[in-house]
Amino acid sequence: MRPTVHDIAAVAGVSLATVDRVLNQRPGVRHVTREKVERAIRELGYVRDVAAANLAKGRTYPFVFILPASDNSFMHALNAEVRAAVARSPVDRTEIRTIEVPAFDPAALVAVLEKLGEERPAGIALVATDAPDVRDAVDRLVKEGIPVVTVVSDLTGSQRHHYAGVDNIAAGRTAARLLGRFLGGASGDVAVLAGSMLVRDHRERLEGFATVIAKEFPSLSLLPVIEGRDDPELAHMLVADALSKQRGIIGVYSLGAGNRGLIRALKEKAGDRALTVIAHELTTHTRAALLDGTIDAILNQDAGHEVRSAIRVLKAKADGLAVIDGQERIRLDIFLKDNLP
Amino acid sequence: MRPTVHDIAAVAGVSLATVDRVLNQRPGVRHVTREKVERAIRELGYVRDVAAANLAKGRTYPFVFILPASDNSFMHALNAEVRAAVARSPVDRTEIRTIEVPAFDPAALVAVLEKLGEERPAGIALVATDAPDVRDAVDRLVKEGIPVVTVVSDLTGSQRHHYAGVDNIAAGRTAARLLGRFLGGASGDVAVLAGSMLVRDHRERLEGFATVIAKEFPSLSLLPVIEGRDDPELAHMLVADALSKQRGIIGVYSLGAGNRGLIRALKEKAGDRALTVIAHELTTHTRAALLDGTIDAILNQDAGHEVRSAIRVLKAKADGLAVIDGQERIRLDIFLKDNLP
DNA sequence: CTGTTAGCGCTTTCAC
DNA sequence: GTGAAAGCGCTAACAG
């Protein structure tokens, strides 16, 4: 049998309450007593039964998710996954509340974060807009002992405890290599559609993409980035325009959201010429486009995994526990038409 | 607050013991009483606190992992992941024992399974050798109420509760499309290195691969499969031989293990000609080969995820609980040199 | 500073 | 058939 607090108490010659105080580093224990108890703990190889502790504490974890109010499929999916987690709340003792903030708006995000500082939830998960003010607000929360994790897009230079999202530089590089290899040495222009350069994930994808194209596929040349604000209408307009004017385009990389518009533009110009296209995020639209050949590969992050991982990590941090690193690494999924889930 | 057994008891006008009997479908409750309790449960929307239940039961889960005694990196990794799970045992109340059986040996596997039938562990995970005898042995265990999951390679037509592994047909198809696209319309022969056609994962990968090559890349022709028994030495010999004799080979698909040997053979012939190579399983050897350009893409299954998933599912089945499907889907990882973890 | 005691939500004797 | 009471490992008053 695993040793319990009783065993520790017996070995150390103290009461349960004292053991508990030491275990939870509460004050009010003489140094010598503390040492005795700690020795007993070590000798017995005691590991705390977290389930029992939580039961006794009646502890629940009030967590907050801060999500951008963006109207694209990916954010909808992320939202849905958070709701799914809420549905599981009773089971895993979480109480998740979500707050929507305007997308790409550092000030709004900061305001919410500051309010949360007073509320002191057991943990905060946010899709970060990458700005110094946001970073400072997050660092303040961290300093106050509130666990914070970023989801999907990270916060440069901040002290957040964890980032639950993919390596976006790697994502961009991978997109570049796929595109380059699929194009098999052809020469021509490559168009890049992004959402906004205000979020770190998009910037990083572009950076990775540009690096590999430049270094390893010199016969391809990158056109200036098109910023579609993750908005299907805008994306459609801009891409259609680019395809008409730039006759040399042979490849397209869509690194943000709003692919609905992109796909429409691609189909309108389909007869024109063969295009190789790589896009991000598996949605009903991109899935259909992959299957009908409009898109050649989709890079994806699993929103469900990100949400569950964020919660696991927040919980672990709240309890001062370790996390299984491998389990929390968010993979970059690559989908061809053959391995769709 | 969530309703508890006390609330049910109060509402139904019975004692805790009776509630518990109903909850755990134990006998000794009159039909009418049972109905009263069940109604109360429904009305209150009661959900059992599994942690508290386990605490009271002092329950642990004795699980058994049956692994093939294969000397290749992937099986070593799988083994290591099981050991990692053992290290976490105290925390998640599992008691995991692993049994090694000779690889590709249905009889040995059946013998072990039958012995386990008497021992009655709380759950069994096995890497299946795909044979009718094995299927029957597994089905017998399932019928006796023991949760069984297959890991890595599945068992055709069996009643196992779950398969914790990738979709291998999809894996083969994906390999074909990557190879085909990377070769960009070139004509030539493709060599396939497998471990054994006795395991379902290898058969399925081949099947998926052959289908897509035939249908979508008619300029490529498949050479007869080379069976390397997942043995580096044998693989080296056979591949080296094939590369010497078949001058038309422009692509290689290695769908099994023992890639150490494959890589050696490829390097020996490197000067000869350009080869496009797709292999399975990320190991130190394949990783190095991917980075140095000997291999162009690696398809991988995450052994850690498979093991953790198998355990989660076994636990859920043992408790009669539901699993989160999305969480238990084992992804096919695709690695290029840019997105290595 | 330290100990006693009740209790978290559930299960399990052992009576009745 | 049913119920009362003790206890799983831990925490939290409240005394001393």
Side-chain angles (χ1 to χ4, degrees):
Chain A
M1 283 301 295
R2 280 166 67 181
T4 74
V5 279
H6 287 96
D7 301 322
I8 302 177
V11 170
V14 299
S15 75
L16 285 186
T18 302
V19 173
D20 189 64
R21 286 184 190 104
V22 174
L23 241 31
N24 294 290
Q25 14 222 22
R26 267 190 287 269
V29 185
R30 257 191 323 176
H31 195 70
V32 276
T33 328
R34 180 171 298 264
E35 298 243 295
K36 266 197 303 193
V37 175
E38 274 164 355
R39 185 142 27 80
I41 291 177
R42 253 177 286 114
E43 271 175 22
L44 294 172
Y46 171 83
V47 266
R48 177 214 240 91
D49 182 329
V50 192
N54 283 340
L55 173 59
K57 283 202 278 244
R59 156 148 218 183
T60 57
Y61 303 79
F63 290 147
V64 176
F65 271 76
I66 309 177
L67 305 177
S70 294
D71 182 35
N72 61 62
S73 304
F74 178 72
M75 280 306 160
H76 289 164
L78 194 66
N79 239 295
E81 291 295 345
V82 174
R83 282 197 304 277
V86 170
R88 288 190 299 272
S89 280
V91 180
D92 46 49
R93 297 175 168 278
T94 57
E95 280 169 10
I96 298 169
R97 193 160 65 88
T98 92
I99 299 179
E100 293 226 322
V101 297
F104 312 132
D105 182 345
L109 191 48
V110 168
V112 169
L113 289 169
E114 304 208 312
K115 192 139 52 69
L116 287 176
E118 285 149 39
E119 205 176 298
R120 297 197 58 82
I124 299 173
L126 74 154
V127 177
T129 302
D130 196 21
D133 289 357
V134 178
R135 189 233 302 136
D136 293 343
V138 162
D139 285 359
R140 242 171 283 136
L141 292 169
V142 171
K143 189 163 296 165
E144 288 167 20
I146 301 180
V148 180
V149 308
T150 50
V151 182
V152 178
S153 192
D154 202 3
L155 198 45
T156 306
S158 100
Q159 306 284 312
R160 88 280 181 286
H161 294 86
H162 182 78
Y163 162 57
V166 299
D167 176 341
N168 285 300
I169 294 188
R173 296 180 58 95
T174 303
R177 188 169 312 269
L178 278 175
L179 192 64
R181 295 285 316 241
F182 281 4
L183 284 171
S187 296
D189 295 334
V190 173
V192 176
L193 171 66
S196 159
M197 289 296 110
L198 283 180
V199 282
R200 183 160 161 197
D201 51 348
H202 290 196
R203 279 207 318 276
E204 289 184 339
R205 287 173 191 172
L206 177 61
E207 177 191 337
F209 186 78
T211 307
V212 169
I213 290 289
K215 191 143 56 191
E216 311 212 21
F217 301 97
S219 65
L220 298 177
S221 70
L222 243 60
L223 298 176
V225 175
I226 302 170
E227 286 196 45
R229 309 270 316 163
D230 288 357
D231 174 30
E233 292 309 320
L234 185 55
H236 171 256
M237 214 192 71
L238 296 171
V239 172
D241 187 57
L243 287 177
S244 307
K245 300 219 176 105
Q246 313 276 345
R247 309 300 305 171
I249 296 178
I250 58 174
V252 177
Y253 175 38
S254 165
L255 57 77
N259 284 316
R260 235 180 3 263
L262 165 77
I263 293 167
R264 193 145 53 85
L266 291 171
K267 290 206 165 151
E268 288 160 8
K269 309 283 168 185
D272 267 28
R273 69 199 123 166
L275 287 174
T276 298
V277 181
I278 314 275
H280 271 265
E281 315 315 353
L282 185 65
T283 64
T284 42
H285 307 103
T286 55
R287 168 191 286 269
L290 182 63
L291 287 173
D292 74 18
T294 305
I295 291 180
D296 296 90
I298 294 173
L299 304 188
N300 185 64
Q301 52 189 322
D302 186 320
H305 192 180
E306 292 177 326
V307 169
R308 289 189 295 271
S309 173
I311 294 172
R312 267 196 305 268
V313 172
L314 284 179
K315 242 182 169 172
K317 296 300 175 191
D319 290 335
L321 259 46
V323 301
I324 308 174
D325 278 345
Q327 183 164 201
E328 309 311 344
R329 230 198 87 241
I330 307 295
R331 280 177 243 291
L332 176 68
D333 294 327
I334 302 176
F335 292 119
L336 306 185
K337 68 196 321 176
D338 308 287
N339 65 327
L340 282 168
Chain B
M1 283 299 296
R2 279 168 67 180
T4 74
V5 279
H6 287 96
D7 302 322
I8 302 177
V11 170
V14 298
S15 76
L16 286 186
T18 302
V19 173
D20 189 66
R21 287 185 189 105
V22 174
L23 242 30
N24 294 290
Q25 14 222 21
R26 269 190 285 270
V29 185
R30 259 189 321 175
H31 195 71
V32 277
T33 331
R34 179 170 301 258
E35 299 242 293
K36 266 196 304 192
V37 174
E38 275 164 355
R39 186 143 26 81
I41 292 177
R42 253 177 287 116
E43 272 174 22
L44 294 173
Y46 171 83
V47 268
R48 178 212 240 92
D49 183 329
V50 193
N54 284 340
L55 172 59
K57 283 202 277 245
R59 155 148 219 184
T60 57
Y61 302 78
F63 291 146
V64 176
F65 272 76
I66 310 176
L67 305 176
S70 293
D71 182 35
N72 61 63
S73 305
F74 178 72
M75 280 306 159
H76 289 165
L78 195 66
N79 240 296
E81 291 295 344
V82 174
R83 282 197 303 278
V86 169
R88 288 190 300 272
S89 279
V91 180
D92 46 49
R93 298 176 167 278
T94 58
E95 280 169 9
I96 297 169
R97 194 160 64 88
T98 92
I99 301 179
E100 292 226 322
V101 296
F104 312 131
D105 183 344
L109 191 47
V110 167
V112 169
L113 289 169
E114 303 208 313
K115 192 140 51 67
L116 287 176
E118 284 149 39
E119 205 174 296
R120 297 196 59 81
I124 300 173
L126 74 153
V127 177
T129 302
D130 196 21
D133 288 359
V134 178
R135 188 232 305 135
D136 293 343
V138 163
D139 286 359
R140 242 171 284 136
L141 293 170
V142 171
K143 189 162 297 164
E144 288 167 19
I146 301 180
V148 180
V149 308
T150 50
V151 182
V152 178
S153 192
D154 202 3
L155 198 43
T156 305
S158 100
Q159 305 285 312
R160 86 282 181 285
H161 293 86
H162 182 80
Y163 162 57
V166 298
D167 176 341
N168 286 299
I169 294 188
R173 297 180 58 96
T174 303
R177 189 168 312 270
L178 278 175
L179 192 63
R181 295 286 316 242
F182 282 4
L183 284 171
S187 295
D189 295 333
V190 173
V192 176
L193 171 66
S196 159
M197 289 296 110
L198 283 181
V199 283
R200 183 160 160 196
D201 51 347
H202 290 197
R203 279 207 318 277
E204 288 185 339
R205 288 174 190 171
L206 177 60
E207 179 191 335
F209 185 79
T211 306
V212 170
I213 291 288
K215 193 143 54 190
E216 312 211 21
F217 301 96
S219 64
L220 298 176
S221 70
L222 244 60
L223 298 175
V225 174
I226 302 169
E227 287 196 45
R229 308 271 315 163
D230 288 356
D231 174 30
E233 291 309 320
L234 185 55
H236 171 256
M237 215 193 69
L238 296 171
V239 172
D241 188 57
L243 287 177
S244 309
K245 300 220 176 105
Q246 313 276 347
R247 309 301 304 171
I249 295 178
I250 58 174
V252 178
Y253 176 38
S254 166
L255 58 78
N259 283 316
R260 234 180 4 261
L262 165 76
I263 293 166
R264 194 146 51 86
L266 290 172
K267 291 207 165 148
E268 288 160 9
K269 309 285 170 180
D272 265 27
R273 68 197 124 165
L275 287 175
T276 297
V277 181
I278 314 275
H280 271 265
E281 314 317 350
L282 184 66
T283 64
T284 41
H285 307 102
T286 56
R287 168 191 286 270
L290 182 63
L291 287 173
D292 74 18
T294 306
I295 292 180
D296 296 89
I298 294 174
L299 304 188
N300 185 64
Q301 52 189 321
D302 186 320
H305 191 182
E306 292 177 328
V307 169
R308 289 189 296 269
S309 173
I311 293 172
R312 267 196 305 268
V313 171
L314 284 179
K315 243 183 170 171
K317 296 299 175 191
D319 289 335
L321 260 46
V323 301
I324 307 175
D325 278 346
Q327 183 161 202
E328 310 310 345
R329 233 199 84 241
I330 306 295
R331 282 177 241 291
L332 175 68
D333 294 326
I334 303 176
F335 293 119
L336 305 185
K337 68 196 323 177
D338 308 288
N339 65 329
L340 283 168

